[in-house]
């Protein structure tokens, strides 16, 4: 199979998924992934399609294969990290979710999706304070709500230590 046919088949499968025909896309992508086992882009699209179908357990190996490769664009690598971390979380593999999402934040420190899914995984691992801190910091830095904007600095400050209490002089 030459590169052009690989590209065409991949584009057709992604188009099928985009049009809501995820099962047909999945069948094509699994076959394409079997033919191109080292192709990170094919693996990523295959993982994404499995996730779209609610087949999270099957998506994991494809996400891992995609992330092991070196030919993903930065955007797709970010998507694969979010996808794998989120998938681990929904499968109850919380520690793996936290590790994957923290690792993703090393590469993409400002990504709101990674931070949001990390907060969810931290909640699942009983790390409620860190989860809340992450979400408050994200809210303070990204919200367009006028009330949040008015208190952005205070929210960001208090997010650092939710247990802080100011002692008043008697």
């Amino acid at each position: 199979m030459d590169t052009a046919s690989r590209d065409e088949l991949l584009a057709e499968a992604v188009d099928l998924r985009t049009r809501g025909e995820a099962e047909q896309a999945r069948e094509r992508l699994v076959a394409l992934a079997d033919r191109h086992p080292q192709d990170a882009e094919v693996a990523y699209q295959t993982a994404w399609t499995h996730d779209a179908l609610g087949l999270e357990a099957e998506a994991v190996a494809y996400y891992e294969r995609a992330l092991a490769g070196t030919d993903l664009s930065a955007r797709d690598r970010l998507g694969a990290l979010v996808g794998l971390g989120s998938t681990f979380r929904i499968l109850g593999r919380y520690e793996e979710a936290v590790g994957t999402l923290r690792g993703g934040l090393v590469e993409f420190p400002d990504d709101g999706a990674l931070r949001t899914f990390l907060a969810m995984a931290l909640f699942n691992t009983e790390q409620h304070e860190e989860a809340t801190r992450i979400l408050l910091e994200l809210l303070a830095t990204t919200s367009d709500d006028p009330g949040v904007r008015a208190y952005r600095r205070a929210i960001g400050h208090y997010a650092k230590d939710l247990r802080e209490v100011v002692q008043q002089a008697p």
Side-chain angles (χ1 to χ4, degrees), residues 38-41 43 63-72 77:
Q38 303 304 314
D39 190 314
E41 184 180 11
Y63 278 129
E64 291 175 332
R65 189 187 309 178
L67 290 166
T70 58
D71 59 336
L72 280 182
R77 183 159 177 83

Side-chain angles (χ1 to χ4, degrees), residues 45-68:
Q45 294 298 333
T46 306
W48 182 350
T49 302
H50 279 83
D51 257 352
L53 287 166
L55 302 171
E56 288 86 357
E58 291 86 347
V60 169
Y62 291 108
Y63 278 129
E64 291 175 332
R65 189 187 309 178
L67 290 166

Side-chain angles (χ1 to χ4, degrees), residues 14-43:
V14 169
D15 186 56
L16 282 169
R17 183 186 64 229
T18 303
R19 291 191 327 239
E21 300 176 43
E23 183 52 44
Q24 294 90 329
R26 187 191 72 77
E27 292 170 9
R28 290 183 185 194
L29 285 164
V30 167
L32 195 58
D34 287 346
R35 286 188 217 118
H36 298 275
Q38 303 304 314
D39 190 314
E41 184 180 11
V42 170

